[in-house]
Amino acid sequence: MSREKTISVLDGWLMLVVTILIFALSVGLFIWFILDAAAADQARGLPNFWLLAGSLLIFGLGLFMCFGFFTLQPNEARVLILFGAYQGTVRESGWHWTNPLNTKLRISLRSRNFNTDKLKVNDKRGNPIEIAAVVVWHVEDTAQAVFDVENYEHFVAVQSESAIRRLASKYPYDHPEENSIALRSDVEEVSHVLQRELQERVAKAGVRVEEARLTHLAYAPEIAGAMLRRQQAEAIIDARQKIVHGAVSMVHMALQELMANKVVELDEERKAAMVSNLLVILCGEQEAQPVINTGTLYT
């Protein structure tokens, strides 16, 4: 496993001055050669070609040094490679100069968003569902990102899809078991699990996962209608349970108030009739129509 090694390089402004001086020296030698050639022509001699050769060599050195300049923005790094050997990583922003023979690979350290495609998988109970997520990540170790995987961006994309598929198969869509979680109801817990799982998978690429959250979660179209009817039935049952519980409480309170205030004395049969009527009124979906009884329960 590769490890990042941070190195320092020469300041670009300092090396710019040095490069200008080298070009100035080359121009000076060339002028000297021209003057020497003019003097040699008058004396019918040969000029000093070493001056010309030196001027050209120094000019070539200046051109060569120009390829060593590079800039770094904040949250950016350059990986330096010399003849296949890793030299180090430059992280300090600014204008720099390094050996022109170094290969300078630019790596962005900024946070990135990756939206996965909608994946069709089976949850823990075998129900087909559609799931997608957004992953926020950044490069933490540039050496691992460059040398330990072929393409770290593609690596993150593939591992994200694999982690989401595994997550969906570990938990049910809804109705979790005891001491368990569900994809639909426990969003925060599911997000933390996904982040941990994905971090383990992309650690070898020198990547740090900042956040991973589900952006889409639904039943597959072929069972969506049936699951919707089931959810509606469950909602109706829950609502009915609350209505019945409230109605029983209200009837019990009414009987207690009547008995406590001695409004009327009711025997068991009249209590049963009153309870029946109140439950019908309170639990019915339509308004009850009152019926005036001019007689008694016994006639």
Side-chain angles (χ1 to χ4, degrees), residues 14-243:
L14 174 62
M15 293 308 297
L16 176 63
V17 174
V18 174
T19 304
I20 292 175
L21 292 176
I22 290 175
F23 280 117
L25 178 59
S26 173
V27 173
L29 288 178
F30 186 73
I31 294 175
W32 189 1
F33 169 74
I34 292 176
L35 295 177
D36 183 73
D41 184 61
Q42 291 179 358
R44 297 184 181 276
L46 294 176
N48 188 356
F49 288 101
W50 288 107
L51 294 174
L52 178 61
S55 174
L56 295 177
L57 289 175
I58 294 175
F59 184 81
L61 175 62
L63 289 177
F64 175 73
M65 292 184 64
C66 290
F67 292 99
F69 293 99
F70 66 95
T71 59
L72 276 183
Q73 299 178 8
N75 286 325
E76 192 176 72
R78 289 293 180 102
V79 176
L80 304 182
I81 305 172
L82 180 62
F83 300 125
Y86 173 56
Q87 301 299 305
T89 300
V90 183
R91 284 178 172 262
E92 184 179 358
S93 60
W95 195 26
H96 306 287
W97 186 89
T98 186
N99 184 351
L101 296 178
N102 282 332
T103 301
K104 300 176 282 294
L105 300 180
R106 176 185 173 276
I107 301 292
S108 175
L109 305 178
R110 299 181 177 94
S111 297
R112 313 184 193 188
N113 287 329
F114 171 72
N115 292 304
T116 64
D117 297 329
K118 292 181 181 179
L119 306 176
K120 186 176 179 181
V121 296
N122 293 333
D123 68 354
K124 185 178 180 180
R125 293 174 179 157
N127 297 321
I129 62 174
E130 291 182 346
I131 188 171
V134 58
V135 180
V136 182
W137 61 278
H138 70 271
V139 175
E140 188 174 54
D141 191 302
T142 57
Q144 288 183 280
V146 172
F147 302 115
D148 290 354
V149 294
E150 183 66 26
N151 185 321
Y152 64 91
E153 293 182 348
H154 180 68
F155 185 83
V156 171
V158 173
Q159 294 301 324
S160 298
E161 179 178 338
S162 177
I164 293 173
R165 289 184 180 276
R166 176 174 172 79
L167 176 77
S169 64
K170 288 173 59 177
Y171 303 107
Y173 178 87
D174 54 7
H175 301 291
E177 302 172 354
E178 186 178 358
N179 298 326
S180 181
I181 61 177
L183 297 174
R184 185 169 66 93
S185 58
D186 303 288
V187 179
E188 293 296 329
E189 291 81 355
V190 169
S191 299
H192 291 316
V193 172
L194 177 60
Q195 181 179 355
R196 289 196 301 268
E197 170 115 9
L198 187 55
Q199 181 60 58
E200 293 176 359
R201 292 172 176 266
V202 301
K204 64 175 62 178
V207 169
R208 171 66 59 185
V209 178
E210 301 177 9
E211 185 181 7
R213 288 185 175 276
L214 299 182
T215 57
H216 176 78
L217 182 64
Y219 282 112
E222 57 266 26
I223 67 168
M227 291 302 176
L228 179 60
R229 289 192 294 271
R230 190 187 75 173
Q231 291 176 358
Q232 291 174 343
E234 292 172 351
I236 292 173
I237 292 174
D238 293 338
R240 287 294 183 184
Q241 288 177 347
K242 292 182 179 180
I243 292 173

